[in-house]
Amino acid sequence: MSVDAFTVLAEPTRRRILDRLRRAESSVGELVDTLGVSQPAVSKHLRVLREAGFVACRTAARQRIYRIDVRPFQAVDDWLAPYRQLWETHLDALERHLDRQEQ
């Protein structure tokens, strides 16, 4: 199943889950406690993130422990690269303009 990364990342709860997983691996229960979202909702969002490749999980005893998988983020970063360059070009132009104003 091919899922658009931006569609996956557009959902605020999924972004909050990723922000939490960026700091540390977590179980579903830990995410529920941290985010204040119901267990079924967290599980649903984790399934979407897992199917899109943004998270992976391992089993520890009776828990699934989730972590970020950075590979899909590289595709997002690759797509953003030309826009980042455009933004930097505009900032450079602004800096030159401000430097001329100070002279």
Side-chain angles (χ1 to χ4, degrees):
M1 176 171 137
S2 176
V3 178
D4 176 58
F6 293 101
T7 300
V8 172
L9 298 174
E11 213 298 320
T13 302
R14 289 196 279 269
R15 291 194 310 270
R16 289 177 57 213
I17 290 170
L18 290 169
D19 285 342
R20 173 64 171 84
L21 293 177
R22 185 173 41 89
R23 292 184 286 260
E25 292 183 343
S26 298
S27 67
V28 173
E30 291 168 332
L31 291 168
V32 167
D33 293 343
T34 302
L35 302 173
V37 178
S38 72
Q39 185 275 324
V42 169
S43 293
K44 178 187 103 178
H45 290 301
L46 284 169
R47 182 177 42 82
V48 171
L49 289 166
R50 192 176 65 246
E51 288 175 357
F54 283 97
V55 299
C57 69
R58 63 180 171 81
T59 303
R62 296 178 62 193
Q63 291 184 321
R64 285 184 165 200
I65 307 299
Y66 289 85
R67 69 183 178 284
I68 285 185
D69 188 336
V70 297
R71 291 175 289 180
F73 290 98
Q74 184 61 52
V76 172
D77 188 57
D78 292 346
W79 186 85
L80 287 171
Y83 297 96
R84 190 176 304 110
Q85 180 59 43
L86 179 66
W87 180 249
E88 289 171 5
T89 300
H90 286 290
L91 287 176
D92 290 344
L94 175 60
E95 183 179 23
R96 287 190 304 274
H97 173 75
L98 293 173
D99 287 343
R100 285 191 301 269
Q101 296 296 323
E102 290 178 359
Q103 295 175 359

